[in-house]
Amino acid sequence: MTSSGLPPMPPLSAPPLPALSSSGFRLSKEHLVVAVPVAVVAAVGGFLVGHYLTGRSCKKGQVNTCVSKDSPKVVHSFDMEDIGTKAVYCRCWKSKKFPYCDGAHTKHNEETGDNVGPLIIKKKDA
Ligand code: FES
């Protein structure tokens, strides 16, 4: 007994350190119990931050992903007399020659299961 009436405290021992080997250090079970949840939280946090940042640059539901994105509205106008006998216009917004179809809808349809195709305007006899 001590003078305060309490039983003496047992001596404190230092927590075990991971064993160091020549190629690095080994993780003990106690380290994994801490490391695994920290890794899971970091992975989920990274995913959420990436998802948030991606969502800011590409708004959900937009069909136009690359054509004149600096313009508030994409509009093209053609005179009927200038079209000639046939014109093929893109409706998938993936064409590199927009507003004309370049066949990019085929790849889009294969990748997404969509069924979009061009608008074809032609003279009756063409
Ligand atoms: S490339 Fe868009 S409809 Fe053909």
Side-chain angles (χ1 to χ4, degrees):
M1 280 287 176
T2 61
S3 62
S4 65
L6 297 173
M9 295 285 293
L12 294 175
S13 62
L17 294 174
L20 296 175
S21 68
S22 61
S23 63
F25 67 95
R26 287 187 4 215
L27 290 175
S28 68
K29 184 178 177 183
E30 291 80 16
H31 290 103
L32 290 176
V33 167
V34 173
V36 169
V38 168
V40 168
V41 168
V44 170
F47 171 78
L48 292 175
V49 167
H51 189 73
Y52 172 74
L53 293 177
T54 301
R56 287 177 40 181
S57 63
C58 183
K59 292 181 180 170
K60 189 175 183 179
Q62 288 188 348
V63 294
N64 178 11
T65 58
C66 58
V67 177
S68 303
K69 292 303 285 183
D70 55 338
S71 175
K73 185 190 301 184
V74 180
V75 176
H76 296 94
S77 178
F78 301 94
D79 291 331
M80 293 299 289
E81 296 79 22
D82 296 336
I83 289 178
T85 57
K86 182 179 177 185
V88 182
Y89 296 102
C90 176
R91 295 192 299 174
C92 74
W93 291 85
K94 305 295 181 194
S95 175
K96 298 283 188 247
K97 297 178 180 176
F98 198 89
Y100 300 105
C101 173
D102 70 353
H105 59 269
T106 303
K107 182 181 177 200
H108 166 78
N109 288 343
E110 289 172 357
E111 291 175 349
T112 64
D114 211 342
N115 63 348
V116 296
L119 167 66
I120 301 173
I121 297 176
K122 62 182 179 179
K123 286 191 173 184
K124 264 189 174 176
D125 297 337

